[in-house]
Amino acid sequence: QQQVKQSPQSLIVQKGGISIINCAYENTAFDYFPWYQQFPGKGPALLIAIRPDVSEKKEGRFTISFNKSAKQFSLHIMDSQPGDSATYFCAASRGGGNKLTFGTGTQLKVEL
Amino acid sequence: GAGVSQSPRYKVAKRGQDVALRCDPISGHVSLFWYQQALGQGPEFLTYFQNEAQLDKSGLPSDRFFAERPEGSVSTLKIQRTQQEDSAVYLCASSLGLGRNYGYTFGSGTRLTVV
């Protein structure tokens, strides 16, 4: 059972554009929603995270939007840069973030 | 150390062979996690430790998989009688504590190929 669904599978964005990646979850017990960035040959690195009592969180060019009633959350990357080209994973956990359930990933390519 | 260190980076095993994958967490990190990442997929939870105690091993796919952290620092993931479906990247992560206030730091993983 896939508890966190992520889309799109791949995304191409022009430099300076906005990249948007969406995730939907099923388990209403989830209470922590992080996003991870992974470069080839590296482990995932935490980008930004949100709790369900907040509808939006912004850190630099990265923003998470959270819709609790729809059980959806999304990552927006503003002013996308070629260096943002990587695979992005959404994730969710319950009870304090110990065991993460990851989405299937979005391969982002930012073109010049 | 500065980060989570995993060794070996690459491992090729013949089907039926036993393998051992090592994880050196960040010094002082009490929590340690193992994940399995198949090609083109997100990481999937295997097990986690708080110090030397294995608190959850619900993600281990079969009894061929075994993890230990005897002194609460270095951890080893052992896979017995490897099968082709075990081919994946095995990621280790550590954190200062348990809970969402403590972010994970992942290592670069061990890529296991079973031939």
Side-chain angles (χ1 to χ4, degrees):
Chain A
Q1 181 186 10
Q2 188 182 358
Q3 294 196 56
V4 180
K5 294 182 180 179
Q6 184 171 347
S7 64
Q9 188 174 1
S10 63
L11 180 62
I12 300 175
V13 172
Q14 296 299 309
K15 181 184 174 188
I18 302 174
S19 304
I20 302 174
I21 304 170
N22 301 299
C23 283
Y25 63 96
E26 299 168 4
N27 189 342
T28 55
F30 286 145
D31 62 0
Y32 175 70
F33 302 89
W35 284 88
Y36 283 81
Q37 179 189 56
Q38 186 175 30
F39 293 103
K42 300 293 186 184
L46 178 65
L47 261 182
I48 186 173
I50 198 168
R51 295 179 298 188
D53 54 347
V54 175
S55 62
E56 185 174 284
K57 183 175 180 180
K58 183 176 181 180
E59 288 185 0
R61 297 185 294 110
F62 301 93
T63 301
I64 300 179
S65 297
F66 187 84
N67 185 329
K68 188 174 181 178
S69 61
K71 294 188 289 184
Q72 295 175 347
F73 58 111
S74 61
L75 175 69
H76 290 63
I77 305 174
M78 312 300 287
D79 187 26
S80 299
Q81 300 296 313
D84 297 331
S85 298
T87 300
Y88 291 81
F89 293 96
C90 61
S93 70
R94 60 179 177 143
N98 301 322
K99 178 166 72 174
L100 290 171
T101 299
F102 282 85
T104 50
T106 296
Q107 196 165 6
L108 170 66
K109 183 176 180 181
V110 181
E111 294 184 334
L112 292 169
Chain B
V4 177
S5 178
Q6 292 188 246
S7 60
R9 283 300 313 276
Y10 304 92
K11 176 70 179 177
V12 178
K14 291 184 178 179
R15 190 158 53 99
Q17 190 177 359
D18 297 350
V19 298
L21 312 180
R22 177 187 170 102
C23 174
D24 275 279
I26 293 173
S27 178
H29 279 198
V30 300
S31 301
L32 185 145
F33 309 82
W34 284 99
Y35 282 79
Q36 180 191 58
Q37 186 173 23
L39 188 64
Q41 299 296 314
E44 291 194 359
F45 172 82
L46 293 176
T47 185
Y48 83 84
F49 294 83
Q50 184 174 8
N51 296 307
E52 68 278 3
Q54 189 173 20
L55 299 186
D56 187 339
K57 55 181 180 179
S58 62
L60 295 176
S62 77
D63 59 7
R64 297 186 294 103
F65 287 71
F66 172 76
E68 60 182 6
R69 194 186 185 196
E71 297 178 358
S73 178
V74 170
S75 177
T76 304
L77 176 66
K78 297 180 179 178
I79 309 173
Q80 296 178 323
R81 305 181 304 282
T82 52
Q83 302 296 314
Q84 283 194 317
E85 62 263 27
D86 300 335
S87 295
V89 174
Y90 291 85
L91 294 165
C92 176
S94 69
S95 71
L96 271 172
L98 292 176
R100 59 190 178 207
N101 292 324
Y102 300 99
Y104 285 13
T105 300
F106 279 92
S108 294
T110 294
R111 181 178 295 278
L112 172 66
T113 303
V114 181
V115 297

